Amino acid sequence: REFGFRVRTRRIAHVKDKIHAVGRRLRNALTGETTLYLDPALKQTVSAFERLTWDSEGRDMDKRHGFDHLADCVAYLVYGLDTCMEWRN
């Protein structure tokens, strides 16, 4: 904003919304379409998604092992892109 950009943001209601956005991009349950590909060279990112678990209440990512950081980063990016596409249409 301080550089003259118009910034639009949307509050993310739940952590699961971000993760589901990534899941839909990895494989859409209705169409089977994949729109997000993770390069196998990104071993830590792929590993983070494979090892990601939920806390005991099932509301948030389990942060005890540190796998949430990379997954959360990708999830914010995907969720942000999806939000931009909604505003564009």
Side-chain angles (χ1 to χ4, degrees):
R1 292 180 181 146
E2 70 182 88
F3 295 105
F5 291 100
R6 185 174 51 167
V7 178
R8 293 181 174 181
T9 60
R10 177 187 291 178
R11 280 211 172 270
I12 298 172
H14 299 286
V15 173
K16 287 186 178 181
D17 290 343
K18 294 183 300 184
I19 300 303
H20 288 258
V22 172
R24 280 191 304 275
R25 293 261 183 160
L26 289 171
R27 173 90 34 160
N28 186 305
L30 298 175
T31 66
E33 181 182 30
T34 299
T35 57
L36 173 67
Y37 298 89
L38 295 177
D39 188 325
L42 302 173
K43 294 179 192 234
Q44 290 182 342
T45 305
V46 172
S47 178
F49 275 103
E50 291 173 343
R51 296 176 177 192
L52 185 64
T53 57
W54 296 96
D55 65 13
S56 60
E57 296 175 4
R59 294 185 188 159
D60 200 358
M61 290 182 276
D62 186 345
K63 300 176 190 299
R64 294 177 295 168
H65 305 291
F67 301 122
D68 60 305
H69 295 294
L70 282 170
D72 208 26
C73 178
V74 173
Y76 270 111
L77 174 66
V78 168
Y79 192 86
L81 289 172
D82 286 352
T83 302
C84 287
M85 294 305 289
E86 287 174 18
W87 281 330
R88 235 177 130 189
N89 296 329

